Amino acid sequence: MYLTQEVKAELFKKHGGSETNTGSTEGQIALFTYRINHLTEHLKRNHKDFNTERSLVRLVGKRRALLDYLKKKDIEKYRELIKELNIRK
């Protein structure tokens, strides 16, 4: 499995403040970014996997909504997170 509990805990510790703070906007965006990167690599090898492609599009939409929320709430955190995760825009 590509997303183990240790990886997930480390993502939330780094971006969300603590391992148990799984509801933070920054932590959720980091988790979605990790999953998006994994699905993108999968689709490079399996270009006819349309179910995964649909899941990827949904994840990108969810991440975009959270990024828009963070941008309205705290522009400085938004800029830091974009730079740290190498997200375009």
Side-chain angles (χ1 to χ4, degrees):
M1 202 167 144
Y2 77 97
L3 185 62
T4 61
Q5 287 182 343
E6 292 82 23
V7 172
K8 204 172 190 180
E10 188 223 321
L11 279 171
F12 282 114
K13 187 175 183 180
K14 184 176 180 185
H15 297 285
S18 72
E19 294 177 9
T20 58
N21 189 7
T22 58
S24 69
T25 306
E26 296 90 349
Q28 290 290 316
I29 292 170
L31 179 65
F32 286 164
T33 301
Y34 183 83
R35 290 175 61 194
I36 286 168
N37 291 337
H38 174 74
L39 291 178
T40 302
E41 290 302 316
H42 172 79
L43 283 173
K44 286 180 183 176
R45 293 184 306 261
N46 305 292
H47 65 278
K48 290 188 177 183
D49 189 353
F50 299 114
N51 289 326
T52 302
E53 186 177 351
R54 182 175 186 271
S55 298
L56 176 64
V57 170
R58 290 185 71 201
L59 267 179
V60 170
K62 284 183 178 183
R63 183 180 72 177
R64 179 79 259 154
L66 284 174
L67 282 169
D68 289 343
Y69 169 76
L70 186 62
K71 187 176 183 180
K72 281 191 279 185
K73 189 175 177 188
D74 190 352
I75 191 76
E76 291 303 318
K77 282 185 184 178
Y78 170 81
R79 289 180 182 151
E80 286 176 22
L81 195 61
I82 291 281
K83 193 174 193 179
E84 196 172 316
L85 295 175
N86 291 329
I87 300 174
R88 290 182 291 185
K89 191 171 179 183

